[in-house]
Amino acid sequence: MGRYIVRRLLIAIPVFFGITLLSFLIMNMAPGNPVDMLINPNTPKEMLELKKELLGLNDPLHVQYLKWLGGFLQGELGYSFSSFAPVSQLIGERIGPTLLLASASLLLGILIAIPAGIISAVHQNSRLDYMMTALSFLGTSIPPFFLGLGLIYVMGIELGWLPTGGMTTLGGTGGIGDIILHMILPVTVLGVTIAGKKVRYVRASMLDVLQQDYLRTARAKGLSEFMVTNKHALRNALIPIITVVGAEIPLLLGGSIIMEQVFQWPGIGQLTMEAILSRDYPTLMGLNLIAACIVLSMNLVTDILYATVDPRITYS
């Protein structure tokens, strides 16, 4: 296993730098210019050119990329074109709230999806199965931003039970209880969306495993149905579930961009939108760097979990 992990990490290095190169080229191919977003349109052309020169935007693309790469290899991500703050500082301030929101949403989605999928599979073609399937389709079909706006209107405006945005109450102490209260609505929206997509995967995987001969043998030995389903069947059904959950994490971070805008959550999503609107190339490169690390690491973690769940899987 150790040699396999080292080999995967070595393969990930050129993939990682390939991602940064493509990201840099795509950003610079997009219409617009950072200087146009920073300075009043009536500014003399000479001043615009001077600003571009100071930011290094007049250099050829390969020179700009090599400068950024040299800074990255020295542990620096550059400075934001809009706020002129270090990119590492901007990301460090925002990544915590995003990870908190994403991890809580993923946990809620899994806690809903796995029991619901198991119940649906065990009671195949029953009313309970049809109800679970209908709810999963409903959770998948409702756009997250629409569900979020609906919950804000009902729970926040009409009933006044929950805050409608932000991470803490303005002027408040900002304690754990206050943060949890502000997390309820966005976590519910993301958790329901994740659960809606995952219930069908869990159900299909469990149905495939429940027909296996070794489960009939386990029942014949006198094991309870609870042990047969939740210990023997579930563990062997986890392989495809791990795959879809591992793929969900990068998508969840991408989807949090919309949710953070809806609920004004101060995370990576809001920073990404601000960087896109201001054509802040260094900040966007830093965010793409984080996304690439998450995708590559989750692929490796998923493969390791395969072997952990199923001892028959080995890596030589």
Side-chain angles (χ1 to χ4, degrees), residues 169-275:
T169 303
L170 292 176
T173 58
I176 295 177
D178 191 28
I179 295 175
I180 293 175
L181 200 64
H182 283 76
M183 287 177 60
I184 292 176
L185 289 183
V187 167
T188 299
V189 173
L190 289 173
V192 167
T193 304
I194 293 170
K197 292 184 289 186
K198 299 298 175 280
V199 166
R200 288 176 293 160
Y201 286 107
V202 176
R203 178 183 183 275
S205 183
M206 285 294 295
L207 285 176
D208 183 59
V209 172
L210 287 173
Q211 308 302 321
Q212 300 297 320
D213 292 338
Y214 67 88
L215 291 184
R216 298 192 187 95
T217 304
R219 293 189 182 96
K221 289 181 177 180
L223 292 179
S224 65
E225 191 64 27
F226 180 86
M227 290 292 294
V228 171
T229 302
N230 294 282
K231 181 178 180 181
H232 297 281
L234 179 59
R235 181 166 185 175
N236 288 279
L238 281 178
I239 297 297
I241 298 172
I242 290 173
T243 303
V244 296
V245 170
E248 182 68 32
I249 294 177
L251 297 175
L252 179 61
L253 293 175
S256 66
I257 294 177
I258 300 175
M259 284 297 97
E260 288 182 10
Q261 293 296 311
V262 172
F263 291 99
Q264 294 300 301
W265 189 263
I268 292 293
Q270 277 200 345
L271 181 62
T272 302
M273 287 301 300
E274 294 168 3

Side-chain angles (χ1 to χ4, degrees), residues 29-77:
M29 290 170 59
N33 190 287
V35 174
D36 297 335
M37 309 301 296
L38 289 172
I39 303 178
N40 190 292
N42 297 323
T43 304
K45 190 173 182 179
E46 294 77 10
M47 292 294 295
L48 295 176
E49 292 300 323
L50 178 60
K51 190 67 176 179
K52 290 180 182 178
E53 187 68 31
L54 291 175
L55 294 176
L57 297 174
N58 289 334
D59 295 335
L61 285 182
H62 68 278
V63 174
Q64 294 183 43
Y65 175 73
L66 290 176
K67 285 183 178 179
W68 177 86
L69 184 61
F72 166 70
L73 293 176
Q74 295 176 15
E76 299 178 0
L77 296 178

Side-chain angles (χ1 to χ4, degrees), residues 7 45 48 82 99 136 175 192 198 208 228 258 290 302 304 313:
R7 187 167 66 250
K45 190 173 182 179
L48 295 176
S82 56
L99 291 178
S136 70
V192 167
K198 299 298 175 280
D208 183 59
V228 171
I258 300 175
I290 298 297
T302 300
I304 294 174
I313 298 177

